[in-house]
Amino acid sequence: DSAFVGFHYLNAEGIDDKNCQEFSENGRYWIILDGCIDNLRTLADNSQLPQDFTAAQSVAALYKADDTSFLEKLQGRFSLAIIDRTAQSVVLYRSRLGQLPLYYHLCPERIIAASEERAIAAHPDVPSQPNAEMLAPWFSLSSSFPAGQTAFTVIKELLPGECLVWKKGNVKQWRSPLLLGQSQTRYQTDQEYADHYLELMERMVARYLPASG
């Protein structure tokens, strides 16, 4: 009763998606994946997991073996929730480039997460107080918004590459470094990331477009 996860538009898979009874009744782990993890098969092969494992089974096995350390190795376009019923913990993770959103609400006795703000706001225990800090730049058509903020005061957005671990009311959060080729880059602010991304994009365009005469 401590975790509520909305997956209306998500691809929800259990430990054994061929037999949902284990997933819905007796399974320890609940894996909810929105999107696609491109290198999951490679990670599964390196860990000698069975070839017929589903994506959910592979994530559960990697989590069981390495806890959250395997998350930084994942590549793709996805957001992910791992619910460990035995440990009474929830892990939320969003891929580094943040193509797919993931929102959450924290309170002492539970965590509520979903791919849309309105799914969380629909929960009866979530206050619907608007976030003036977010609405002001929105209505002024500003291109700069406070990182992690939403239109609701008590609903937050997980940042790209960010991991949140909720366990019995205690919360830990950190962000994975951005991978550029073989190197890792950490940014202090989202603006630093945007500036560097623009710089790399301009270099790429200059490299591949022929020089004009």
Side-chain angles (χ1 to χ4, degrees), residues 63-84:
Y63 175 68
K64 182 178 179 180
D66 300 325
D67 199 60
T68 58
S69 62
F70 82 99
L71 293 172
E72 291 195 353
K73 302 175 184 177
L74 300 181
Q75 300 174 8
R77 177 179 177 270
F78 66 92
S79 59
L80 174 68
I82 304 172
I83 302 174
D84 186 338

Side-chain angles (χ1 to χ4, degrees), residues 8-198:
H8 186 58
Y9 301 122
L10 297 188
N11 174 24
E13 298 184 37
I15 296 307
D16 182 2
D17 60 3
K18 297 178 182 178
N19 180 0
C20 292
Q21 305 238 338
E22 181 182 355
F23 166 70
S24 60
E25 295 180 4
N26 301 318
R28 171 175 176 173
Y29 301 105
W30 292 54
I31 309 299
I32 300 175
L33 172 65
D34 184 13
C36 180
I37 302 175
D38 297 334
N39 65 333
L40 188 57
R41 184 67 264 166
T42 300
L43 295 175
D45 289 342
N46 292 340
S47 298
Q48 298 182 338
L49 300 182
Q51 289 287 329
D52 59 350
F53 261 24
T54 65
Q57 287 175 301
S58 298
V59 168
L62 292 169
Y63 175 68
K64 182 178 179 180
D66 300 325
D67 199 60
T68 58
S69 62
F70 82 99
L71 293 172
E72 291 195 353
K73 302 175 184 177
L74 300 181
Q75 300 174 8
R77 177 179 177 270
F78 66 92
S79 59
L80 174 68
I82 304 172
I83 302 174
D84 186 338
R85 298 174 63 189
T86 301
Q88 298 182 44
S89 65
V90 177
V91 176
L92 303 178
Y93 183 74
R94 186 178 176 191
S95 58
R96 288 179 175 89
L97 293 182
Q99 299 99 323
L100 297 177
L102 187 55
Y103 302 93
Y104 63 93
H105 166 66
L106 294 172
C107 52
E109 65 277 8
R110 66 174 62 94
I111 179 173
I112 304 170
S115 59
E116 297 182 1
E117 300 167 69
R118 59 183 177 177
I120 300 177
H123 193 284
D125 292 342
V126 177
S128 57
Q129 180 181 355
N131 184 355
E133 184 180 359
M134 184 70 173
L135 294 179
W138 184 31
F139 283 115
S140 65
L141 301 180
S142 172
S143 60
S144 177
F145 297 94
Q149 299 294 312
T150 72
F152 301 93
T153 303
V154 298
I155 300 177
K156 307 299 181 184
E157 181 179 13
L158 207 66
L159 299 176
E162 186 173 19
C163 180
L164 182 151
V165 178
W166 181 94
K167 186 172 183 178
K168 299 179 181 179
N170 297 314
V171 178
K172 293 182 179 180
Q173 289 177 259
W174 66 90
R175 293 184 74 178
S176 301
L178 184 67
L179 294 177
L180 298 174
Q182 299 299 316
S183 62
Q184 294 185 350
T185 303
R186 295 183 183 272
Y187 300 99
Q188 296 299 318
T189 66
D190 287 342
Q191 188 59 49
E192 288 185 9
Y193 164 76
D195 291 342
H196 192 190
Y197 184 86
L198 178 60

